[in-house]
PDB file of all heavy atoms in Angstrom:
ATOM      1  N   ARG A 653       7.473  25.862 -16.354  1.00  0.00           N
ATOM      2  CA  ARG A 653       6.623  26.074 -15.229  1.00  0.00           C
ATOM      3  C   ARG A 653       5.771  24.930 -14.824  1.00  0.00           C
ATOM      4  O   ARG A 653       5.374  24.175 -15.619  1.00  0.00           O
ATOM      5  CB  ARG A 653       5.656  27.313 -15.531  1.00  0.00           C
ATOM      6  CG  ARG A 653       4.852  27.785 -14.424  1.00  0.00           C
ATOM      7  CD  ARG A 653       4.157  29.023 -14.825  1.00  0.00           C
ATOM      8  NE  ARG A 653       5.090  30.119 -15.087  1.00  0.00           N
ATOM      9  CZ  ARG A 653       5.588  30.896 -14.093  1.00  0.00           C
ATOM     10  NH1 ARG A 653       5.360  30.721 -12.932  1.00  0.00           N
ATOM     11  NH2 ARG A 653       6.538  31.822 -14.454  1.00  0.00           N
ATOM     12  N   SER A 654       5.674  24.714 -13.550  1.00  0.00           N
ATOM     13  CA  SER A 654       4.636  23.730 -12.975  1.00  0.00           C
ATOM     14  C   SER A 654       3.300  24.331 -13.024  1.00  0.00           C
ATOM     15  O   SER A 654       3.035  25.325 -12.400  1.00  0.00           O
ATOM     16  CB  SER A 654       5.096  23.357 -11.611  1.00  0.00           C
ATOM     17  OG  SER A 654       4.015  22.726 -10.922  1.00  0.00           O
ATOM     18  N   SER A 655       2.365  23.646 -13.711  1.00  0.00           N
ATOM     19  CA  SER A 655       1.053  24.179 -13.893  1.00  0.00           C
ATOM     20  C   SER A 655       0.303  24.046 -12.557  1.00  0.00           C
ATOM     21  O   SER A 655      -0.601  24.764 -12.354  1.00  0.00           O
ATOM     22  CB  SER A 655       0.339  23.455 -15.032  1.00  0.00           C
ATOM     23  OG  SER A 655       0.218  22.075 -14.640  1.00  0.00           O
ATOM     24  N   GLN A 656       0.670  23.143 -11.703  1.00  0.00           N
ATOM     25  CA  GLN A 656      -0.146  22.938 -10.501  1.00  0.00           C
ATOM     26  C   GLN A 656       0.074  24.001  -9.432  1.00  0.00           C
ATOM     27  O   GLN A 656      -0.735  24.443  -8.663  1.00  0.00           O
ATOM     28  CB  GLN A 656       0.134  21.461  -9.914  1.00  0.00           C
ATOM     29  CG  GLN A 656      -0.739  21.129  -8.770  1.00  0.00           C
ATOM     30  CD  GLN A 656      -0.636  19.660  -8.530  1.00  0.00           C
ATOM     31  OE1 GLN A 656       0.106  18.905  -9.063  1.00  0.00           O
ATOM     32  NE2 GLN A 656      -1.508  19.238  -7.575  1.00  0.00           N
ATOM     33  N   HIS A 657       1.389  24.298  -9.202  1.00  0.00           N
ATOM     34  CA  HIS A 657       1.784  25.188  -8.127  1.00  0.00           C
ATOM     35  C   HIS A 657       2.370  26.583  -8.590  1.00  0.00           C
ATOM     36  O   HIS A 657       2.580  27.356  -7.742  1.00  0.00           O
ATOM     37  CB  HIS A 657       2.816  24.470  -7.210  1.00  0.00           C
ATOM     38  CG  HIS A 657       2.259  23.300  -6.559  1.00  0.00           C
ATOM     39  ND1 HIS A 657       1.167  23.262  -5.684  1.00  0.00           N
ATOM     40  CD2 HIS A 657       2.538  21.965  -6.688  1.00  0.00           C
ATOM     41  CE1 HIS A 657       0.919  22.040  -5.268  1.00  0.00           C
ATOM     42  NE2 HIS A 657       1.680  21.242  -5.942  1.00  0.00           N
ATOM     43  N   GLY A 658       2.523  26.746  -9.834  1.00  0.00           N
ATOM     44  CA  GLY A 658       2.980  28.051 -10.313  1.00  0.00           C
ATOM     45  C   GLY A 658       4.360  28.395  -9.945  1.00  0.00           C
ATOM     46  O   GLY A 658       4.688  29.566  -9.761  1.00  0.00           O
ATOM     47  N   VAL A 659       5.237  27.388  -9.830  1.00  0.00           N
ATOM     48  CA  VAL A 659       6.672  27.667  -9.473  1.00  0.00           C
ATOM     49  C   VAL A 659       7.487  27.155 -10.635  1.00  0.00           C
ATOM     50  O   VAL A 659       7.119  26.176 -11.270  1.00  0.00           O
ATOM     51  CB  VAL A 659       7.117  27.023  -8.143  1.00  0.00           C
ATOM     52  CG1 VAL A 659       6.366  27.577  -6.993  1.00  0.00           C
ATOM     53  CG2 VAL A 659       6.919  25.533  -8.237  1.00  0.00           C
ATOM     54  N   GLY A 690      -0.004  12.896  -4.819  1.00  0.00           N
ATOM     55  CA  GLY A 690      -0.962  13.655  -5.689  1.00  0.00           C
ATOM     56  C   GLY A 690      -0.417  14.741  -6.540  1.00  0.00           C
ATOM     57  O   GLY A 690      -1.208  15.419  -7.163  1.00  0.00           O
ATOM     58  N   ASN A 691       0.907  14.851  -6.620  1.00  0.00           N
ATOM     59  CA  ASN A 691       1.502  15.952  -7.457  1.00  0.00           C
ATOM     60  C   ASN A 691       2.015  15.331  -8.701  1.00  0.00           C
ATOM     61  O   ASN A 691       3.186  15.378  -9.038  1.00  0.00           O
ATOM     62  CB  ASN A 691       2.594  16.606  -6.636  1.00  0.00           C
ATOM     63  CG  ASN A 691       2.124  17.269  -5.337  1.00  0.00           C
ATOM     64  OD1 ASN A 691       0.974  17.663  -5.290  1.00  0.00           O
ATOM     65  ND2 ASN A 691       2.933  17.193  -4.275  1.00  0.00           N
ATOM     66  N   ALA A 692       1.117  14.687  -9.540  1.00  0.00           N
ATOM     67  CA  ALA A 692       1.523  14.099 -10.723  1.00  0.00           C
ATOM     68  C   ALA A 692       2.276  15.023 -11.800  1.00  0.00           C
ATOM     69  O   ALA A 692       3.209  14.667 -12.346  1.00  0.00           O
ATOM     70  CB  ALA A 692       0.376  13.339 -11.456  1.00  0.00           C
ATOM     71  N   VAL A 693       1.674  16.205 -11.901  1.00  0.00           N
ATOM     72  CA  VAL A 693       2.214  17.212 -12.902  1.00  0.00           C
ATOM     73  C   VAL A 693       3.734  17.543 -12.434  1.00  0.00           C
ATOM     74  O   VAL A 693       4.569  17.568 -13.369  1.00  0.00           O
ATOM     75  CB  VAL A 693       1.304  18.444 -12.952  1.00  0.00           C
ATOM     76  CG1 VAL A 693       1.963  19.448 -13.841  1.00  0.00           C
ATOM     77  CG2 VAL A 693      -0.083  18.053 -13.509  1.00  0.00           C
ATOM     78  N   ASP A 694       3.880  17.900 -11.230  1.00  0.00           N
ATOM     79  CA  ASP A 694       5.195  18.217 -10.768  1.00  0.00           C
ATOM     80  C   ASP A 694       6.152  17.068 -10.833  1.00  0.00           C
ATOM     81  O   ASP A 694       7.336  17.259 -11.203  1.00  0.00           O
ATOM     82  CB  ASP A 694       5.146  18.750  -9.299  1.00  0.00           C
ATOM     83  CG  ASP A 694       4.714  20.207  -9.192  1.00  0.00           C
ATOM     84  OD1 ASP A 694       4.612  20.901 -10.334  1.00  0.00           O
ATOM     85  OD2 ASP A 694       4.477  20.689  -8.183  1.00  0.00           O
TER      86      ASP A 694
END
Side-chain angles (χ1 to χ4, degrees):
R653 186 170 296 277
S654 161
S655 62
Q656 188 168 3
H657 297 295
V659 295
N691 299 329
V693 173
D694 280 352

